[in-house]
Amino acid sequence: MERMRWIWMVLLTGWLVSCSSKEDTLEEMEQETGFLSQAVHPLRTTQDLDLLLNEIGNSQYVLLGEASHGTSEFYTWRADISKRLIQEKGFNLIAVEGDWPAAYSLNQYIQGRQGGTAQQALQAFRRWPTWMWANQEVAGFSEWLRQHNQTLTQNQRVGFYGMDVYSLWESLEEVRAYMEAADPAIAQLAREAQACLAPYNQDEQRYAQATDQGISCAPPLQRLLEAVQAHRARQPANHEAAFNAEQNALAAVNAERYYYQMLRSNVTSWNLRDRHMQETVNRLVAQRGPGAKIIVWAHNTHVGDARYTDMVNSGTVNIGQLLREQHAQKGVYLVGFGSYEGTVVAATSWGAATRTMTVPPAQAGSWEALLHRHSAENKLLLMRELQNSQEVLKPRGHRAIGVTYNPSSERGNYVPTVLPRRYDAFLFIDRTTALSPL
Protein backbone atom coordinates (compact mmCIF):
# COMPACT_ATOMS: atom_id res chain seq x y z
CA MET A 1 0.00 0.00 0.00
CA GLU A 2 2.82 2.37 0.94
CA ARG A 3 4.54 1.56 -2.35
CA MET A 4 1.39 2.36 -4.36
CA ARG A 5 1.01 5.69 -2.53
CA TRP A 6 4.61 6.55 -3.43
CA ILE A 7 4.05 5.72 -7.12
CA TRP A 8 0.94 7.93 -7.27
CA MET A 9 2.81 10.81 -5.63
CA VAL A 10 5.56 10.52 -8.24
CA LEU A 11 3.03 10.51 -11.08
CA LEU A 12 1.12 13.47 -9.61
CA THR A 13 4.34 15.45 -9.17
CA GLY A 14 5.30 14.72 -12.78
CA TRP A 15 1.89 15.86 -13.99
CA LEU A 16 2.10 19.10 -11.99
CA VAL A 17 5.59 19.79 -13.31
CA SER A 18 4.34 19.12 -16.85
CA CYS A 19 1.47 21.59 -16.42
CA SER A 20 3.82 24.15 -14.95
CA SER A 21 6.17 23.68 -17.90
CA LYS A 22 3.33 24.17 -20.37
CA GLU A 23 2.28 27.36 -18.62
CA ASP A 24 5.87 28.57 -18.67
CA THR A 25 6.12 27.74 -22.37
CA LEU A 26 2.94 29.62 -23.18
CA GLU A 27 4.14 32.57 -21.13
CA GLU A 28 7.52 32.52 -22.83
CA MET A 29 5.83 32.26 -26.20
CA GLU A 30 3.67 35.30 -25.45
CA GLN A 31 6.74 37.26 -24.37
CA GLU A 32 8.63 36.26 -27.51
CA THR A 33 5.88 36.78 -30.11
CA GLY A 34 3.36 39.06 -28.40
CA PHE A 35 4.64 42.14 -30.22
CA LEU A 36 3.40 40.59 -33.49
CA SER A 37 -0.20 40.08 -32.37
CA GLN A 38 -1.70 43.42 -33.35
CA ALA A 39 -0.23 43.17 -36.88
CA VAL A 40 -1.22 39.55 -37.60
CA HIS A 41 -4.36 38.85 -39.62
CA PRO A 42 -5.72 35.49 -40.86
CA LEU A 43 -4.99 34.49 -44.45
CA ARG A 44 -7.36 31.77 -45.59
CA THR A 45 -9.22 33.04 -48.66
CA THR A 46 -8.85 35.84 -51.19
CA GLN A 47 -11.40 37.82 -49.15
CA ASP A 48 -8.73 38.10 -46.47
CA LEU A 49 -6.80 40.26 -48.94
CA ASP A 50 -9.27 43.11 -48.36
CA LEU A 51 -7.00 44.56 -45.68
CA LEU A 52 -4.01 44.45 -48.02
CA LEU A 53 -5.92 46.12 -50.86
CA ASN A 54 -7.00 48.89 -48.49
CA GLU A 55 -3.42 49.35 -47.36
CA ILE A 56 -2.15 49.59 -50.94
CA GLY A 57 -4.58 52.42 -51.53
CA ASN A 58 -3.66 54.52 -54.56
CA SER A 59 -0.08 53.28 -54.88
CA GLN A 60 1.14 53.23 -58.48
CA TYR A 61 3.82 50.58 -57.90
CA VAL A 62 3.15 47.29 -56.09
CA LEU A 63 6.02 44.82 -55.78
CA LEU A 64 5.20 41.21 -54.88
CA GLY A 65 8.07 39.05 -53.67
CA GLU A 66 8.73 35.36 -53.10
CA ALA A 67 11.08 33.54 -50.75
CA SER A 68 11.94 30.99 -53.45
CA HIS A 69 11.56 30.55 -57.20
CA GLY A 70 9.95 27.14 -56.75
CA THR A 71 7.03 27.46 -54.33
CA SER A 72 3.48 27.08 -55.59
CA GLU A 73 1.75 29.20 -52.96
CA PHE A 74 3.96 32.22 -53.61
CA TYR A 75 2.88 32.19 -57.27
CA THR A 76 -0.80 31.55 -56.61
CA TRP A 77 -1.13 34.21 -53.90
CA ARG A 78 0.72 36.71 -56.12
CA ALA A 79 -1.72 35.87 -58.89
CA ASP A 80 -4.70 36.36 -56.55
CA ILE A 81 -3.38 39.73 -55.38
CA SER A 82 -2.65 40.76 -58.97
CA LYS A 83 -6.15 39.83 -60.16
CA ARG A 84 -7.70 42.04 -57.51
CA LEU A 85 -5.30 44.90 -58.24
CA ILE A 86 -6.24 44.68 -61.92
CA GLN A 87 -9.98 44.42 -61.35
CA GLU A 88 -10.39 46.80 -58.43
CA LYS A 89 -7.56 49.31 -58.75
CA GLY A 90 -6.91 49.51 -62.48
CA PHE A 91 -3.40 48.06 -62.63
CA ASN A 92 -2.48 47.45 -66.28
CA LEU A 93 1.19 46.38 -66.33
CA ILE A 94 3.02 43.36 -64.92
CA ALA A 95 6.82 43.15 -64.96
CA VAL A 96 8.50 39.92 -63.86
CA GLU A 97 11.98 38.66 -63.08
CA GLY A 98 12.29 37.08 -66.51
CA ASP A 99 13.84 37.76 -69.92
CA TRP A 100 12.22 40.42 -72.10
CA PRO A 101 11.98 38.35 -75.34
CA ALA A 102 10.40 35.30 -73.69
CA ALA A 103 7.97 37.36 -71.61
CA TYR A 104 7.05 39.42 -74.67
CA SER A 105 6.13 36.23 -76.51
CA LEU A 106 3.81 35.30 -73.62
CA ASN A 107 2.48 38.87 -73.68
CA GLN A 108 1.43 38.39 -77.31
CA TYR A 109 -0.69 35.43 -76.22
CA ILE A 110 -2.12 37.31 -73.23
CA GLN A 111 -3.00 40.24 -75.50
CA GLY A 112 -4.85 37.89 -77.88
CA ARG A 113 -2.42 38.49 -80.75
CA GLN A 114 -1.48 34.83 -81.13
CA GLY A 115 -3.38 31.59 -80.75
CA GLY A 116 -2.67 28.31 -79.03
CA THR A 117 -2.60 27.87 -75.25
CA ALA A 118 -0.73 29.47 -72.37
CA GLN A 119 1.32 26.30 -71.97
CA GLN A 120 2.46 26.58 -75.58
CA ALA A 121 3.27 30.29 -75.17
CA LEU A 122 5.32 29.52 -72.07
CA GLN A 123 7.66 27.33 -74.12
CA ALA A 124 9.36 30.62 -75.05
CA PHE A 125 11.05 30.45 -71.62
CA ARG A 126 13.93 28.22 -72.66
CA ARG A 127 16.69 29.64 -70.47
CA TRP A 128 17.51 27.62 -67.33
CA PRO A 129 15.76 27.60 -64.88
CA THR A 130 12.75 27.23 -67.15
CA TRP A 131 10.45 26.29 -64.25
CA MET A 132 10.47 29.88 -62.94
CA TRP A 133 7.90 30.86 -65.57
CA ALA A 134 7.08 27.70 -67.52
CA ASN A 135 4.87 26.23 -64.82
CA GLN A 136 1.22 25.38 -64.27
CA GLU A 137 0.70 28.27 -61.85
CA VAL A 138 1.81 30.90 -64.39
CA ALA A 139 -0.12 29.11 -67.14
CA GLY A 140 -3.33 29.41 -65.13
CA PHE A 141 -2.75 33.09 -64.42
CA SER A 142 -1.91 33.72 -68.10
CA GLU A 143 -5.20 32.16 -69.18
CA TRP A 144 -7.03 34.42 -66.73
CA LEU A 145 -5.20 37.49 -68.10
CA ARG A 146 -6.09 36.54 -71.69
CA GLN A 147 -9.77 36.13 -70.82
CA HIS A 148 -9.78 39.38 -68.85
CA ASN A 149 -8.18 41.25 -71.75
CA GLN A 150 -10.83 40.02 -74.17
CA THR A 151 -13.35 42.24 -72.38
CA LEU A 152 -11.19 45.36 -72.92
CA THR A 153 -10.17 47.53 -75.85
CA GLN A 154 -6.62 47.12 -77.18
CA ASN A 155 -5.21 50.15 -75.35
CA GLN A 156 -6.78 49.06 -72.03
CA ARG A 157 -5.39 45.54 -71.96
CA VAL A 158 -3.01 44.35 -69.26
CA GLY A 159 0.55 43.79 -70.48
CA PHE A 160 3.01 41.16 -69.23
CA TYR A 161 6.74 41.90 -69.60
CA GLY A 162 10.18 40.69 -68.51
CA MET A 163 12.60 43.04 -66.78
CA ASP A 164 15.72 40.90 -66.36
CA VAL A 165 19.07 41.41 -68.06
CA TYR A 166 20.27 38.00 -69.23
CA SER A 167 18.93 37.88 -72.82
CA LEU A 168 22.00 39.05 -74.76
CA TRP A 169 21.79 36.71 -77.76
CA GLU A 170 17.99 36.41 -77.79
CA SER A 171 17.45 40.18 -77.67
CA LEU A 172 19.98 40.74 -80.45
CA GLU A 173 18.16 38.29 -82.68
CA GLU A 174 14.84 40.02 -81.99
CA VAL A 175 16.31 43.38 -83.02
CA ARG A 176 17.81 41.91 -86.21
CA ALA A 177 14.58 40.19 -87.19
CA TYR A 178 12.49 43.36 -86.72
CA MET A 179 14.97 45.64 -88.49
CA GLU A 180 15.32 43.43 -91.59
CA ALA A 181 12.09 44.99 -92.82
CA ALA A 182 11.94 48.18 -90.74
CA ASP A 183 15.49 49.46 -91.43
CA PRO A 184 18.00 47.12 -93.18
CA ALA A 185 20.94 49.37 -92.23
CA ILE A 186 20.19 48.83 -88.54
CA ALA A 187 19.72 45.11 -89.21
CA GLN A 188 23.31 45.12 -90.50
CA LEU A 189 24.50 46.71 -87.24
CA ALA A 190 22.73 43.90 -85.37
CA ARG A 191 24.51 41.30 -87.52
CA GLU A 192 27.86 42.97 -86.77
CA ALA A 193 27.18 42.71 -83.03
CA GLN A 194 26.14 39.07 -83.49
CA ALA A 195 29.36 38.38 -85.43
CA CYS A 196 31.40 39.82 -82.56
CA LEU A 197 29.68 37.46 -80.11
CA ALA A 198 29.57 34.42 -82.43
CA PRO A 199 32.86 32.83 -81.22
CA TYR A 200 31.37 32.33 -77.74
CA ASN A 201 28.44 30.20 -78.92
CA GLN A 202 25.91 31.84 -76.59
CA ASP A 203 28.06 30.94 -73.57
CA GLU A 204 28.09 33.90 -71.18
CA GLN A 205 30.96 32.46 -69.12
CA ARG A 206 33.15 32.14 -72.19
CA TYR A 207 32.45 35.71 -73.23
CA ALA A 208 33.09 37.00 -69.70
CA GLN A 209 36.43 35.18 -69.61
CA ALA A 210 37.36 36.54 -73.05
CA THR A 211 36.96 40.11 -71.79
CA ASP A 212 39.95 39.43 -69.52
CA GLN A 213 42.02 39.27 -72.73
CA GLY A 214 40.83 42.74 -73.79
CA ILE A 215 38.02 41.50 -76.05
CA SER A 216 34.82 43.57 -75.97
CA CYS A 217 31.60 43.55 -77.96
CA ALA A 218 30.37 46.66 -76.15
CA PRO A 219 31.14 49.11 -79.03
CA PRO A 220 28.99 47.40 -81.74
CA LEU A 221 26.19 46.89 -79.20
CA GLN A 222 26.26 50.55 -78.22
CA ARG A 223 26.17 51.63 -81.89
CA LEU A 224 23.18 49.36 -82.40
CA LEU A 225 21.33 50.78 -79.39
CA GLU A 226 21.86 54.36 -80.56
CA ALA A 227 20.58 53.50 -84.06
CA VAL A 228 17.51 51.74 -82.65
CA GLN A 229 16.80 54.70 -80.37
CA ALA A 230 16.99 57.05 -83.37
CA HIS A 231 14.64 54.73 -85.30
CA ARG A 232 12.11 54.73 -82.48
CA ALA A 233 12.26 58.53 -82.22
CA ARG A 234 11.03 58.68 -85.81
CA GLN A 235 7.97 56.53 -85.05
CA PRO A 236 4.69 57.50 -83.36
CA ALA A 237 4.98 57.56 -79.55
CA ASN A 238 2.75 54.49 -79.15
CA HIS A 239 4.56 52.38 -81.81
CA GLU A 240 4.86 49.15 -79.84
CA ALA A 241 7.11 47.26 -82.28
CA ALA A 242 9.69 50.06 -82.17
CA PHE A 243 9.47 50.16 -78.37
CA ASN A 244 9.98 46.38 -78.26
CA ALA A 245 13.07 46.68 -80.49
CA GLU A 246 14.51 49.48 -78.36
CA GLN A 247 13.97 47.51 -75.16
CA ASN A 248 15.69 44.48 -76.69
CA ALA A 249 18.64 46.66 -77.77
CA LEU A 250 18.87 48.10 -74.25
CA ALA A 251 18.69 44.61 -72.74
CA ALA A 252 21.54 43.47 -75.01
CA VAL A 253 23.77 46.41 -74.00
CA ASN A 254 23.12 45.95 -70.29
CA ALA A 255 23.51 42.16 -70.59
CA GLU A 256 26.99 42.63 -72.05
CA ARG A 257 27.84 44.99 -69.18
CA TYR A 258 26.49 42.47 -66.69
CA TYR A 259 28.53 39.58 -68.12
CA TYR A 260 31.64 41.79 -68.20
CA GLN A 261 31.24 42.49 -64.47
CA MET A 262 30.09 38.97 -63.57
CA LEU A 263 33.61 37.65 -62.98
CA ARG A 264 34.90 40.93 -61.56
CA SER A 265 32.45 42.17 -58.94
CA ASN A 266 29.35 40.52 -57.50
CA VAL A 267 28.13 43.84 -56.13
CA THR A 268 28.62 45.77 -59.39
CA SER A 269 26.95 43.07 -61.49
CA TRP A 270 24.04 42.77 -59.02
CA ASN A 271 23.52 46.54 -58.97
CA LEU A 272 23.67 46.73 -62.75
CA ARG A 273 20.99 44.05 -62.98
CA ASP A 274 18.60 45.71 -60.52
CA ARG A 275 19.12 49.15 -62.06
CA HIS A 276 18.17 47.60 -65.41
CA MET A 277 14.99 46.28 -63.75
CA GLN A 278 14.26 49.75 -62.41
CA GLU A 279 14.87 51.31 -65.82
CA THR A 280 12.60 48.75 -67.50
CA VAL A 281 9.78 49.47 -65.04
CA ASN A 282 10.16 53.20 -65.65
CA ARG A 283 10.17 52.70 -69.42
CA LEU A 284 7.01 50.56 -69.27
CA VAL A 285 5.19 53.16 -67.18
CA ALA A 286 6.29 55.97 -69.52
CA GLN A 287 5.28 53.98 -72.61
CA ARG A 288 1.85 53.23 -71.14
CA GLY A 289 1.30 56.90 -70.35
CA PRO A 290 -1.29 58.45 -68.02
CA GLY A 291 -3.05 55.90 -65.85
CA ALA A 292 -0.15 53.43 -65.86
CA LYS A 293 -0.03 51.26 -62.73
CA ILE A 294 2.47 48.44 -62.47
CA ILE A 295 2.80 45.16 -60.53
CA VAL A 296 6.29 43.64 -60.17
CA TRP A 297 6.94 39.96 -59.49
CA ALA A 298 10.45 39.13 -58.26
CA HIS A 299 12.34 37.39 -55.48
CA ASN A 300 12.30 38.96 -52.01
CA THR A 301 15.99 39.79 -52.46
CA HIS A 302 14.97 42.19 -55.24
CA VAL A 303 11.63 43.38 -53.86
CA GLY A 304 12.44 43.91 -50.17
CA ASP A 305 14.24 47.22 -49.53
CA ALA A 306 17.97 46.40 -49.41
CA ARG A 307 18.65 49.18 -46.90
CA TYR A 308 17.07 47.06 -44.16
CA THR A 309 19.24 43.99 -44.73
CA ASP A 310 22.97 43.31 -44.58
CA MET A 311 23.09 44.11 -48.32
CA VAL A 312 23.54 47.74 -47.35
CA ASN A 313 26.96 46.97 -45.84
CA SER A 314 28.43 46.13 -49.26
CA GLY A 315 26.68 48.92 -51.16
CA THR A 316 24.24 46.51 -52.81
CA VAL A 317 20.92 47.99 -53.96
CA ASN A 318 17.74 46.45 -55.34
CA ILE A 319 14.65 47.45 -57.25
CA GLY A 320 12.51 47.76 -54.11
CA GLN A 321 14.90 50.33 -52.66
CA LEU A 322 15.38 52.14 -55.97
CA LEU A 323 11.67 52.52 -56.68
CA ARG A 324 10.97 53.64 -53.11
CA GLU A 325 13.66 56.30 -53.42
CA GLN A 326 12.50 57.48 -56.83
CA HIS A 327 8.71 57.23 -56.64
CA ALA A 328 7.76 57.59 -52.98
CA GLN A 329 5.28 60.37 -53.81
CA LYS A 330 3.45 58.13 -56.30
CA GLY A 331 3.14 55.23 -53.87
CA VAL A 332 5.46 52.21 -53.78
CA TYR A 333 4.14 49.24 -51.82
CA LEU A 334 6.40 46.25 -51.08
CA VAL A 335 4.96 42.83 -50.19
CA GLY A 336 7.26 40.04 -48.96
CA PHE A 337 6.57 36.31 -48.67
CA GLY A 338 7.88 33.57 -46.42
CA SER A 339 7.19 30.07 -45.07
CA TYR A 340 8.14 27.83 -42.18
CA GLU A 341 8.55 24.46 -43.96
CA GLY A 342 7.35 22.44 -46.95
CA THR A 343 8.66 21.46 -50.38
CA VAL A 344 10.26 23.44 -53.19
CA VAL A 345 11.46 23.01 -56.78
CA ALA A 346 15.17 23.77 -57.15
CA ALA A 347 18.44 22.23 -58.34
CA THR A 348 21.57 21.14 -56.50
CA SER A 349 23.80 23.24 -58.76
CA TRP A 350 23.52 25.76 -61.60
CA GLY A 351 22.11 24.08 -64.71
CA ALA A 352 21.44 20.77 -62.95
CA ALA A 353 18.23 18.76 -63.16
CA THR A 354 15.09 20.05 -61.46
CA ARG A 355 14.21 18.35 -58.19
CA THR A 356 11.48 18.60 -55.58
CA MET A 357 13.22 19.13 -52.25
CA THR A 358 12.08 19.23 -48.65
CA VAL A 359 12.36 22.61 -46.96
CA PRO A 360 13.18 21.94 -43.29
CA PRO A 361 11.60 23.90 -40.42
CA ALA A 362 12.99 27.41 -40.24
CA GLN A 363 15.98 28.02 -38.01
CA ALA A 364 15.33 29.10 -34.45
CA GLY A 365 15.32 32.86 -34.02
CA SER A 366 14.43 33.60 -37.64
CA TRP A 367 11.37 35.61 -38.64
CA GLU A 368 9.84 32.45 -40.08
CA ALA A 369 10.34 30.51 -36.84
CA LEU A 370 8.92 33.41 -34.85
CA LEU A 371 5.80 33.61 -37.02
CA HIS A 372 5.29 29.85 -36.81
CA ARG A 373 5.71 29.98 -33.04
CA HIS A 374 3.07 32.71 -32.87
CA SER A 375 0.60 30.42 -34.66
CA ALA A 376 1.08 27.54 -37.08
CA GLU A 377 -1.23 28.97 -39.73
CA ASN A 378 -1.13 31.25 -42.75
CA LYS A 379 -1.18 34.93 -41.93
CA LEU A 380 -0.91 38.46 -43.28
CA LEU A 381 1.22 41.04 -41.49
CA LEU A 382 0.63 44.75 -42.00
CA MET A 383 3.84 46.45 -40.98
CA ARG A 384 2.43 49.83 -40.04
CA GLU A 385 0.53 48.09 -37.24
CA LEU A 386 3.72 46.92 -35.57
CA GLN A 387 4.88 49.07 -32.69
CA ASN A 388 8.38 50.51 -33.01
CA SER A 389 9.71 48.41 -30.15
CA GLN A 390 13.24 47.11 -29.89
CA GLU A 391 12.00 43.61 -30.76
CA VAL A 392 10.35 44.85 -33.96
CA LEU A 393 13.44 46.68 -35.18
CA LYS A 394 15.84 43.87 -34.31
CA PRO A 395 17.47 42.27 -37.37
CA ARG A 396 16.59 38.58 -37.63
CA GLY A 397 17.33 35.93 -40.21
CA HIS A 398 14.85 35.82 -43.12
CA ARG A 399 15.06 32.74 -45.36
CA ALA A 400 15.83 33.16 -49.07
CA ILE A 401 15.96 30.10 -51.35
CA GLY A 402 17.39 30.51 -54.85
CA VAL A 403 17.26 28.31 -57.94
CA THR A 404 20.07 26.23 -56.40
CA TYR A 405 19.45 24.87 -52.93
CA ASN A 406 20.85 22.44 -50.40
CA PRO A 407 18.37 21.76 -47.58
CA SER A 408 21.10 20.20 -45.41
CA SER A 409 23.11 23.42 -45.46
CA GLU A 410 20.59 26.10 -44.57
CA ARG A 411 22.71 28.56 -42.62
CA GLY A 412 23.72 30.64 -45.63
CA ASN A 413 20.10 31.03 -46.74
CA TYR A 414 19.15 33.56 -44.08
CA VAL A 415 19.39 37.30 -44.73
CA PRO A 416 19.58 39.52 -41.60
CA THR A 417 16.45 41.64 -41.97
CA VAL A 418 14.47 44.36 -40.20
CA LEU A 419 11.21 42.95 -41.51
CA PRO A 420 8.85 45.89 -40.80
CA ARG A 421 11.16 48.25 -42.71
CA ARG A 422 12.06 45.92 -45.55
CA TYR A 423 8.39 45.41 -46.54
CA ASP A 424 5.06 47.17 -46.15
CA ALA A 425 3.24 43.84 -45.77
CA PHE A 426 4.21 40.19 -45.43
CA LEU A 427 2.36 37.01 -46.42
CA PHE A 428 3.38 34.02 -44.33
CA ILE A 429 2.46 30.53 -45.57
CA ASP A 430 3.19 28.12 -42.73
CA ARG A 431 3.61 25.02 -44.93
CA THR A 432 4.23 25.34 -48.64
CA THR A 433 4.28 22.97 -51.62
CA ALA A 434 6.50 22.75 -54.66
CA LEU A 435 5.77 24.53 -57.93
CA SER A 436 4.44 22.46 -60.88
CA PRO A 437 6.83 22.83 -63.85
CA LEU A 438 5.38 22.20 -67.30
Side-chain angles (χ1 to χ4, degrees), residues 148-414:
H148 174 79
N149 278 341
Q150 287 175 353
T151 66
L152 304 173
T153 62
Q154 190 64 47
N155 61 353
Q156 293 177 322
R157 293 181 178 179
V158 179
F160 187 99
Y161 305 95
M163 60 179 185
D164 223 327
V165 75
Y166 296 127
S167 58
L168 176 51
W169 280 271
E170 298 90 341
S171 285
L172 262 180
E173 178 56 24
E174 291 294 321
V175 174
R176 185 207 61 76
Y178 167 72
M179 288 298 176
E180 289 291 0
D183 193 322
I186 300 179
Q188 177 57 30
L189 291 178
R191 285 192 291 271
E192 289 171 7
Q194 288 177 315
C196 181
L197 290 162
Y200 313 105
N201 196 29
Q202 301 195 23
D203 187 326
E204 298 89 351
Q205 291 280 345
R206 284 179 62 190
Y207 174 72
Q209 291 163 359
T211 62
D212 272 342
Q213 310 303 316
I215 292 170
S216 175
C217 293
L221 286 166
Q222 185 62 37
R223 287 193 294 270
L224 174 63
L225 174 59
E226 291 170 0
V228 174
Q229 288 171 333
H231 168 81
R232 187 193 170 205
R234 296 189 294 270
Q235 312 306 316
N238 61 349
H239 196 289
E240 186 171 340
F243 174 77
N244 180 41
E246 185 183 46
Q247 183 63 32
N248 272 309
L250 179 65
V253 165
N254 284 338
E256 189 279 334
R257 292 173 180 167
Y258 176 85
Y259 294 131
Y260 176 85
Q261 292 292 345
M262 186 171 63
L263 301 182
R264 291 170 170 81
S265 169
N266 289 334
V267 171
T268 303
S269 58
W270 174 282
N271 287 351
L272 193 154
R273 183 181 172 211
D274 273 59
R275 289 188 187 280
H276 175 79
M277 292 183 185
Q278 175 201 22
E279 184 176 7
T280 300
V281 165
N282 287 337
R283 283 172 51 79
L284 285 167
V285 169
Q287 173 69 7
R288 187 75 186 216
K293 300 181 78 173
I294 190 163
I295 303 165
V296 172
W297 286 24
H299 198 279
N300 286 341
T301 48
H302 298 289
V303 165
D305 194 323
R307 293 172 295 181
Y308 302 102
T309 74
D310 62 347
M311 295 166 72
V312 71
N313 298 331
S314 62
T316 306
V317 299
N318 63 13
I319 187 174
Q321 171 189 343
L322 295 170
L323 291 179
R324 265 184 173 178
E325 291 173 336
Q326 185 179 16
H327 298 302
Q329 297 303 315
K330 298 175 182 177
V332 179
Y333 199 91
L334 311 182
V335 182
F337 284 71
S339 68
Y340 179 68
E341 62 184 343
T343 56
V344 67
V345 168
T348 55
S349 61
W350 192 266
T354 303
R355 292 176 53 188
T356 297
M357 303 182 186
T358 298
V359 179
Q363 289 188 347
S366 66
W367 283 106
E368 288 80 3
L370 200 68
L371 288 163
H372 172 76
R373 187 170 170 81
H374 179 274
S375 59
E377 58 188 3
N378 298 347
K379 52 184 73 72
L380 167 67
L381 271 77
L382 300 179
M383 298 310 183
R384 69 171 181 81
E385 295 180 342
L386 286 172
Q387 294 178 350
N388 291 329
S389 67
Q390 188 173 356
E391 283 300 313
V392 168
L393 301 179
K394 175 182 176 182
R396 297 175 183 269
H398 175 20
R399 182 155 54 191
I401 296 174
V403 291
T404 62
Y405 180 52
N406 182 357
S408 64
S409 180
E410 272 255 293
R411 189 170 183 177
N413 288 85
Y414 288 81

Side-chain angles (χ1 to χ4, degrees), residues 32-64:
E32 186 179 358
T33 68
F35 71 94
L36 293 171
S37 297
Q38 65 184 31
V40 169
H41 303 276
L43 185 66
R44 302 185 187 94
T45 71
T46 56
Q47 289 183 325
D48 293 325
L49 296 173
D50 288 352
L51 288 170
L52 179 63
L53 271 287
N54 289 336
E55 284 280 310
I56 288 170
N58 295 321
S59 297
Q60 185 177 6
Y61 302 81
V62 174
L63 281 64
L64 305 177

Side-chain angles (χ1 to χ4, degrees), residues 79-108:
D80 287 336
I81 295 168
S82 298
K83 290 174 185 178
R84 293 197 57 180
L85 289 173
I86 290 165
Q87 292 176 312
E88 299 171 35
K89 292 188 176 289
F91 279 76
N92 45 30
L93 294 166
I94 299 172
V96 304
E97 187 185 340
D99 292 340
W100 178 271
Y104 195 78
S105 179
L106 178 60
N107 179 63
Q108 296 296 86

